[in-house]
Amino acid sequence: MRRFYLLITLPIFCFSSEPSVFGAGNLDSPNPYGLTSAEKNILNNKSKLTDIKRETSKQQSTIQSIDEKVDGMIGVVDGINQKSHQNFLATESLKKSNEEQNLNIEELKKSISDNTQTIAQFKIVLQELSKIIDDINRNYVSKDEHNELIKDVNDFKVLVAKELKQKDNKTSSSTKSNYAGMSNSEIEKSAYEYYTKKYYTKSIEQYEHLIKVNYHPARSNYMVGLMNYKRKKYDNALSYFKKSASLYNNADYTPTLMLYSATSMQKLGDIKNAKAFFNALIKKYPSANETKSARKALNSLN
C-alpha cells in the first residue's frame, strides 16, 4: 500500500518542480509568472540585490567624488603648509636680520661712546698745548719783539717789491730803446718781414712788443701762435691762438687759426676737443680752403 502511494506522489512532485513549457516559473523572464512562493522570494531578493548594487554603485561614485575632493583639499593643505613653512623661514630670517641690526646699533653706540671719550681726551690735550703756547709766548717772545719782527718782514717785502719794480722799469726801458724812433706800424712790418724770412726768434720778439703795447693784439697773438705751431711748440701755439680768438674771432685768418688749433690738440692727444674744433671749422666756414684739410683730418680720427 505504501509503495503505491510513493509511486503516485513522486511523479506529481517532479512535474511540479519543472517550469512550464509556456514560461511559467522562469525567473529570468522580464515578466515571470506562475512562480512558487520560494521563487517569488528569490525574485524579490534578486530585485533587492539589484537595488543594493545600484545604491552601492551610487555610493561608490559619491565616495570617489569625495576622494577627489579630499585629494584636492590635501593639495591645498600641502600648499598652505609649504607657504606657512616659507613664512616661518622668512620670519626667522627677519628675526636674524633684526638681531644683526641690533648688534650693529650696539656697535655704533659703542663706537660713538669711544669717539666721545677720544674727543674728550683731545680737548684735554689741546688745553695743555694752549697752556704751553701761552707760556712760550709769555716767556720767550714779548709783544714788542713780535711787532718788531713783523715790521722787519714788511720792510723786507717793500724792499723786494722796489727791486722788482726797478728791474721791470729797466726791462721796459731796454725794450723801448730797441725800438726807439720806430712806430708800431713799422715794428709790425718789420716783424712780418722777419716771419717771411723764417727768422722766428726776431719776429716773435717784435710781435711780443706789439702785444705789450696793445697794438693789433689779436693779430700779434695769432702770429706768435703761428710761429710756435711751425716750431711744433703746440702748447704755446694753443695759448696764443686762444688769446687771439678771444680778442677777435672773425678775422681773415680765423679759419687757419681754428685748423691749427685743432691740429695742435690732435698732436697733444686731445682728440675730443680736436674733433670739436674740426667740426666747428667745417660748419662755420664750409667753403674755406682750410675746411678740406679739416674734413680729411676728421675722417682719419673717426
Side-chain angles (χ1 to χ4, degrees), residues 237-263:
L238 278 173
S239 176
Y240 284 99
F241 286 151
K242 181 179 179 181
K243 182 65 176 177
S244 176
S246 67
L247 293 170
Y248 185 41
N249 62 1
N250 199 26
D252 57 350
Y253 54 79
T254 299
T256 304
L257 182 149
M258 294 180 69
L259 176 64
Y260 288 168
S261 293
T263 305

Side-chain angles (χ1 to χ4, degrees), residues 55-155:
E55 187 65 25
T56 301
S57 178
K58 289 182 181 180
Q59 289 178 353
Q60 287 178 346
S61 178
T62 302
I63 290 170
Q64 184 177 0
S65 176
I66 292 172
D67 287 338
E68 291 174 356
K69 290 180 180 179
V70 169
D71 290 338
M73 292 177 67
I74 290 173
V76 173
V77 171
D78 289 339
I80 293 173
N81 287 336
Q82 185 177 3
K83 187 65 176 179
S84 177
H85 182 66
Q86 292 175 351
N87 291 337
F88 173 78
L89 294 177
T91 301
E92 291 298 317
S93 177
L94 184 59
K95 287 181 180 179
K96 184 177 180 181
S97 177
N98 288 335
E99 291 173 357
E100 292 175 352
Q101 289 179 359
N102 290 334
L103 290 175
N104 292 334
I105 291 172
E106 292 300 322
E107 291 176 358
L108 181 60
K109 287 181 179 179
K110 185 177 182 302
S111 177
I112 292 172
S113 177
D114 293 340
N115 290 337
T116 302
Q117 294 177 1
T118 303
I119 291 171
Q121 293 173 356
F122 276 136
K123 286 182 179 180
I124 295 172
V125 173
L126 287 174
Q127 289 173 357
E128 294 297 328
L129 286 174
S130 297
K131 290 179 181 179
I132 294 172
I133 292 171
D134 290 338
D135 290 338
I136 291 173
N137 290 333
R138 182 172 56 254
N139 298 324
Y140 295 96
V141 181
S142 66
K143 185 176 181 180
D144 291 338
E145 289 174 336
H146 176 74
N147 291 336
E148 186 65 25
L149 180 62
I150 295 297
K151 182 177 180 300
D152 291 341
V153 172
N154 290 333
D155 290 341

Side-chain angles (χ1 to χ4, degrees), residues 134-227:
D134 290 338
D135 290 338
I136 291 173
N137 290 333
R138 182 172 56 254
N139 298 324
Y140 295 96
V141 181
S142 66
K143 185 176 181 180
D144 291 338
E145 289 174 336
H146 176 74
N147 291 336
E148 186 65 25
L149 180 62
I150 295 297
K151 182 177 180 300
D152 291 341
V153 172
N154 290 333
D155 290 341
F156 178 74
K157 288 181 179 179
V158 172
L159 180 62
V160 171
K162 286 181 178 179
E163 290 181 355
L164 290 174
K165 186 175 181 181
Q166 289 174 357
K167 185 177 180 181
D168 289 339
N169 289 336
K170 289 179 180 179
T171 302
S172 178
S173 299
S174 176
T175 302
K176 289 182 179 178
S177 62
N178 290 337
Y179 305 109
M182 294 179 65
S183 65
N184 289 331
S185 61
E186 290 173 339
I187 296 172
E188 183 181 35
K189 182 179 179 181
S190 174
Y192 188 75
E193 288 176 353
Y194 280 125
Y195 164 73
T196 57
K197 294 176 182 179
K198 298 185 179 181
Y199 296 160
Y200 295 150
T201 301
K202 193 65 177 178
S203 178
I204 289 174
E205 179 184 328
Q206 292 183 337
Y207 276 118
E208 289 283 8
H209 169 75
L210 294 175
I211 292 172
K212 289 180 180 179
V213 298
N214 202 33
Y215 182 80
H216 295 166
R219 181 174 289 276
S220 296
N221 274 283
Y222 164 72
M223 291 302 298
V224 176
L226 183 61
M227 285 181 278

